[in-house]
Amino acid sequence: MEVARTIAETRRALEPRRSGGVGLVPTMGALHDGHLSLLSAARAENDTVVMSLFVNPAQFNERGDLASYPRDERRDLRLAEEAGVDLVFAPSAEEMYPPGFQTWVDVVELGSILEGAFRPGHFRGVATVCLKLFEIVRPDRAYFGQKDAQQVEVIRRLIADLALEVELRVCPTVRDADGLALSSRNARLSPEERERALALPRALATRDRESALRLLAESEGVEVDYVEVADFQPPVLAGAVRVGGTRLIDNVVLDER
Ligand code: PAF
């Protein structure tokens, strides 16, 4: 497995590998089984699998959240290698956002509802970094998790609006045995908070907004940001809650189109 730190190295490494299909799995590291399922889907469909490993400062709207985001590059590289990744692109923030950087891509409406309303600028950061990653890696297919349903919808719109030549692949949410959707931020939950956090998947499992809100209102130590039906592809019941200092998002698919 190669590790490239610069855009130029990445382009050079991929040049001879274009013919058999290139799959990109964008990540911010702190890999868990959700990421591994994306890597395994990419491995099954492409001759070359690229994983990006970049904690994107532009998508964090709180300094504390960025500072405390879990980072363990050595572990991530080991897991990537075990998953059969060919190339990891792990740039610095300066490589991705050089001095003077001022070009942003904003998926205006989709990026401002739900998560976007609670995290202003978040999807502008996501869309910009994904477009730049697509441009650097030029993947045939890019892999995202259904767990971040709104992110998927934003990327789908970005690809359609800018006529990008990349196929979007969406992999199902991976959950722990107790039902909690895997997330790098789960590591911040104390055992007691984790127990409280289970209220979110249990509420969403009702597949009904009012019932979900009622269940969450009865749950001690759980602050609700929103629970909404979102008309995505496919439609989902999506929710976000705060438990202690940790914000959790999750969704269930309502019906396949
Ligand atoms: O889902 C994530 O980890 C990030 O939002 C992504 C897609 C890697 C962009 O930074």
Side-chain angles (χ1 to χ4, degrees):
M1 186 179 80
E2 262 180 86
V3 180
R5 302 280 172 192
T6 67
I7 295 168
E9 272 175 82
T10 304
R11 288 190 167 139
R12 237 187 342 263
L14 289 174
E15 221 170 75
R17 290 176 163 270
R18 297 239 160 253
S19 57
V22 174
L24 170 67
V25 180
T27 83
M28 298 204 299
L31 299 188
H32 51 63
D33 283 353
H35 296 109
L36 300 186
S37 78
L38 302 181
L39 292 173
S40 138
R43 186 67 283 167
E45 285 194 299
N46 303 278
D47 279 3
T48 299
V49 175
V50 180
M51 181 183 96
S52 61
L53 174 43
F54 179 58
V55 182
N56 174 29
Q59 69 186 76
F60 286 81
N61 52 326
E62 280 176 22
R63 268 174 194 274
D65 191 26
L66 173 61
S68 65
Y69 200 81
R71 290 170 174 85
D72 186 346
E73 190 185 87
R74 194 186 298 205
R75 175 180 172 277
D76 289 335
L77 292 180
R78 179 175 51 76
L79 290 174
E81 184 150 36
E82 285 169 11
V85 170
D86 299 295
L87 174 75
V88 174
F89 174 48
S92 64
E94 294 70 36
E95 181 73 4
M96 291 300 274
Y97 299 106
F101 186 95
Q102 53 185 290
T103 305
W104 300 96
V105 50
D106 208 351
V107 180
V108 180
E109 284 169 35
L110 265 173
S112 61
I113 58 170
L114 303 174
E115 279 302 286
F118 284 87
R119 305 182 64 192
H122 169 67
F123 287 115
R124 185 178 88 146
V126 170
T128 302
V129 84
C130 285
L131 178 59
K132 189 153 184 175
L133 290 170
F134 291 165
E135 190 44 41
I136 295 163
V137 174
R138 291 200 285 118
D140 297 284
R141 302 171 194 89
Y143 297 78
F144 292 85
Q146 174 65 26
K147 152 87 173 26
D148 296 305
Q150 190 174 0
Q151 170 168 279
V152 166
E153 209 60 17
V154 163
I155 300 298
R156 194 192 303 288
R157 197 69 250 171
L158 173 78
I159 291 172
D161 287 355
L162 300 185
L164 304 179
E165 281 192 310
V166 54
E167 279 177 44
L168 175 63
R169 293 282 198 264
V170 185
C171 299
T173 302
V174 179
R175 297 180 183 279
D176 268 328
D178 58 10
L180 195 66
L182 296 192
S183 160
S184 306
R185 289 185 175 86
N186 292 355
R188 294 179 187 160
L189 297 167
S190 68
E192 193 191 52
E193 287 172 340
R194 198 193 149 87
E195 197 52 46
R196 289 183 180 168
L198 292 176
L200 181 59
R202 284 180 188 145
L204 295 176
T206 62
R207 289 184 155 65
D208 174 71
R209 179 173 181 268
E210 304 314 318
S211 312
L213 282 169
R214 207 171 315 117
L215 275 180
L216 288 170
E218 289 163 6
S219 307
E220 210 185 302
V222 178
E223 306 280 337
V224 179
D225 277 352
Y226 63 84
V227 173
E228 296 291 346
V229 172
D231 190 20
F232 296 160
Q233 288 177 48
V236 294
L237 179 64
V241 299
R242 280 166 289 122
V243 178
T246 308
R247 193 158 178 286
L248 300 148
I249 63 169
D250 197 354
N251 69 88
V252 290
V253 171
L254 291 177
D255 66 67
E256 300 285 351
R257 271 188 195 156

